[in-house]
């Protein structure tokens, strides 16, 4: 049993020594200015090759009609811009709704006239108003969606044309 523990202690000591030697060697290589300069020069020689490969990829993407990394990044920026525009429009709509006191239909005299009807006619009227309100909201939503879609298509087309000219 004592032999096994001595063996493991010796192995542990040997491993620690080799680890220290390896770490020292790595530090010496990393501190070697000539090696760093050689690696840097080699990397600088690779830059034109990488640029040519990116340009070839861009040309192939136009021919094959698939998006590149730049296209996806551009679309991501456009999506973020659209989300910000939608948020601003929603804020404007909620501000307008608050300014009108939650009454989208108009002034309070209309509300007073509606209050004069019987409960049965009030129920019919409120159903009609809710249907009309939903239709109005849907029309506004469709209009905003169509406008944003057209805007994004125009921006994407101009972005795509700008990339193909480069």
């Amino acid at each position: 049993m004592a032999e096994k523990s001595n063996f493991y202690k010796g192995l542990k000591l040997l491993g620690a020594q080799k680890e220290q030697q390896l770490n020292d060697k790595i530090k010496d290589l990393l501190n070697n200015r000539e090696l760093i300069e050689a690696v840097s020069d080699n990397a600088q020689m690779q830059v034109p090759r990488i640029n040519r490969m990116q340009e070839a990829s861009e040309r192939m993407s136009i021919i094959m009609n698939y998006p590149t990394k730049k296209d996806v990044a551009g679309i991501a920026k456009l999506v973020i811009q659209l989300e910000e525009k939608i948020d601003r429009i929603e804020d404007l709509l909620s501000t307008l709704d608050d300014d009108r006191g939650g009454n989208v239909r108009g002034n309070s005299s209309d509300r007073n006239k509606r209050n004069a009807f019987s409960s049965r006619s009030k129920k019919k009227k409120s159903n009609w108003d809710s249907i009309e309100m939903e239709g109005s909201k849907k029309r506004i939503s469709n209009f905003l969606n169509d406008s944003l879609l057209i805007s994004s298509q125009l921006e994407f087309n101009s972005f795509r044309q700008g990339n193909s000219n480069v």
Side-chain angles (χ1 to χ4, degrees):
M1 183 89 168
E3 290 178 23
K4 286 185 180 181
S5 75
N6 285 340
F7 173 74
Y8 289 123
K9 285 182 182 178
L11 186 61
K12 183 178 177 182
L13 182 63
L14 182 64
Q17 289 173 349
K18 291 298 177 184
E19 180 184 10
Q20 186 63 42
Q21 288 174 356
L22 188 58
N23 283 338
D24 290 341
K25 184 71 173 174
I26 290 172
K27 287 179 185 176
D28 290 342
L29 288 174
L30 289 176
N31 289 332
N32 185 349
R33 186 125 182 109
E34 293 172 1
L35 177 66
I36 299 299
E37 288 175 358
V39 169
S40 176
D41 291 342
N42 188 16
Q44 290 300 321
M45 290 187 329
Q46 300 302 324
V47 169
R49 289 182 187 167
I50 292 170
N51 288 338
R52 284 195 306 268
M53 287 174 54
Q54 286 176 340
E55 290 171 7
S57 174
E58 289 282 334
R59 280 189 243 118
M60 287 301 294
S61 73
I62 293 169
I63 294 169
M64 302 295 286
N65 197 23
Y66 64 84
T68 62
K69 215 176 189 182
K70 288 181 182 178
D71 294 334
V72 173
I75 288 174
K77 287 179 185 177
L78 290 175
V79 166
I80 290 169
Q81 289 175 358
L82 284 174
E83 287 175 349
E84 290 172 355
K85 288 178 183 178
I86 289 171
D87 288 342
R88 285 193 300 254
I89 290 171
E90 286 176 346
D91 289 342
L92 280 171
L93 287 175
S94 80
T95 303
L96 284 173
D97 191 36
D98 291 345
D99 289 347
R100 290 187 173 185
N103 185 11
V104 178
R105 297 264 317 158
N107 60 29
S108 61
S109 64
D110 289 337
R111 198 175 335 132
N112 291 337
K113 289 176 188 174
R114 274 184 275 155
N115 287 338
F117 291 114
S118 68
S119 63
R120 185 172 162 214
S121 95
K122 281 184 186 178
K123 191 172 186 179
K124 286 183 181 178
K125 193 75 165 172
S126 66
N127 286 342
W128 174 253
D129 286 343
S130 65
I131 291 170
E132 190 175 332
M133 177 71 98
E134 288 176 18
S136 178
K137 285 181 180 178
K138 189 170 183 174
R139 285 192 300 276
I140 291 172
S141 174
N142 288 341
F143 172 75
L144 290 175
N145 288 337
D146 292 344
S147 299
L148 291 172
L149 180 63
I150 290 169
S151 172
S152 67
Q153 287 173 342
L154 291 174
E155 289 177 10
F156 177 73
N157 289 339
S158 66
F159 174 77
R160 184 74 176 174
Q161 288 173 353
N163 277 351
S164 65
N165 293 338
V166 173

